[in-house]
Every structure is written in structure tokens, then in C-alpha cells.
Amino acid sequence: MRILIVEDDPVLRGVMQRSLADAGHRVDVAASVAEAHHFWCVQPFDAVLLDLNLPLDGADEGAGGAQLGSGLAVLRAARARGDRTPVLVLTARDRTHERIAGLDAGADDYLGKPYDLAEVEARLRALVRRSRGTQDRTAAGALVLDRHVRRFTLHGLPLELPAREFEVLWELMTPPGRVVNKRTLSEKLSDFDETLGDNALEAFISRLRKKLAGSGAGIRTLRGLGYMLEAQAAPPADGMP
């Protein structure tokens, strides 16, 4: 998953970023209203971790931060522009009014501080599954993705993939049969200071096709639309039509 952490506390932000990155996720961080609003507008995310109490520094005010006001206003602005990215709000345990305000503004779930990092990741996985209508285990032919342990298997054996090939296949399997456009894949595999071109993306797809050969799962190119992973019909037996 590509996750945006919006948290002004540098210690908490750093701990969450390292924990989620170590679990294999791509993580971007925002420490203020302006950063949160900017990142969320220019980069698609699978989920957002949002602290509601954010600072309004001078840069924020000059960039319209005074209108946004807080993490809650950033959330409202995202929902107002039609962004349905799953949001997990982080609040102090004794601030019931914050939890209610966050849910009313469009948050999907909340977690009180202090929290367990394993629970944060589990809740994020659940929110993304729910938003996409997917389950912990998804199969296409002999290819199986277990999201709980972040592992692909092929014919029952682990399928080891480089990080970017893993992310491409993960996106195509969430869920299979869904058309994923090139821009979505490129943005998920790119950093803010790096753009993944079409040629590089096509090279990842080509390598994945070779590794999936004979698995009953294939990646189809839909010209002008993108890519789709689908289960393929088994070839007919010899002598059969």
C-alpha cells in the first residue's frame, strides 16, 4: 500500500513511518495542514493516517492554511472533492468529541492514542479491503495473494519478487479482474522526485508475464485503458476441440 501519514509529532511520525515501511509499504509524511493538503491533492494513496490536531505555521497561512484550519478541515476538503481514500483518524483516547467529529467529516475508522503499531497496520489493511471489496486471500489460477502476511504463492510455493514487481502485481490483484491504468501504477511506484516512465512500467509487466507463464493467471493489456490481471482458461487437452 501507499500510505500518507499526517502527524505533527516528529517522534510518533518517525516511528509510524519506519514501522509501515519495514512492513513493505510506501510511506509519505506530512507535518502540517499545508503539507497534508498538498500531498493528498497531488498523489493518490491507498490509505491516510490522520491526526486531527495540526499546526498552522506561516507557510500554511500563506498557502490557504487558514481556510483549511486543521486536520479535520483537510479531511472535509478531500471528501468535498470526491476523494474516497480510506482514512484512519488518530485521536487522544479521552477526546470523544474528536472521534465523533472525524467520523462525521468522513473518516472510516479511528484509533485512540497511545496505540499499537500492529493494530494500526491491521486496521489500514481492513479499510483498504473494505474500500475495494477484497478479502485477505485472493486467487487467479494458481497465483494466490495472502494480504495478511503480504505473500504471493504460485502452485503452492512462495513467489519471490523484487519490490517494484511485487507492488505492480499487488495492485493488479486488488482485486483481479479490475482494469488498472498506467498512470495509477506509475504513481504508486514513483516517489515525488521521481517519475516512472511507460517503458519502465512495461518492462515490469513483461517480467511478471514471464514469471506467471503456465500459472493460469495472465496480465492483459487493454489498449488505451491499462492492464488487467485475470484467470485464464486452461488450454484444451490433445484431441479436444
Side-chain angles (χ1 to χ4, degrees), residues 143-203:
L143 176 67
V144 177
L145 168 60
D146 188 329
R147 291 180 180 78
H148 184 67
V149 296
R150 291 185 58 81
R151 182 177 64 185
F152 287 102
T153 56
L154 192 59
H155 299 292
L157 300 175
L159 176 62
E160 302 295 339
L161 296 170
R164 285 189 166 181
E165 289 180 30
F166 182 97
E167 293 298 332
V168 170
L169 192 54
W170 178 289
E171 185 66 26
L172 292 171
M173 281 282 281
T174 312
R178 177 174 62 97
V179 178
V180 184
N181 63 50
K182 286 185 177 182
R183 180 180 176 184
T184 296
L185 287 173
S186 295
E187 288 176 340
K188 286 186 177 297
L189 298 177
S190 301
D191 295 320
F192 284 117
D193 58 353
E194 172 193 13
T195 300
L196 188 70
D198 285 351
N199 290 339
L201 178 59
E202 289 167 5

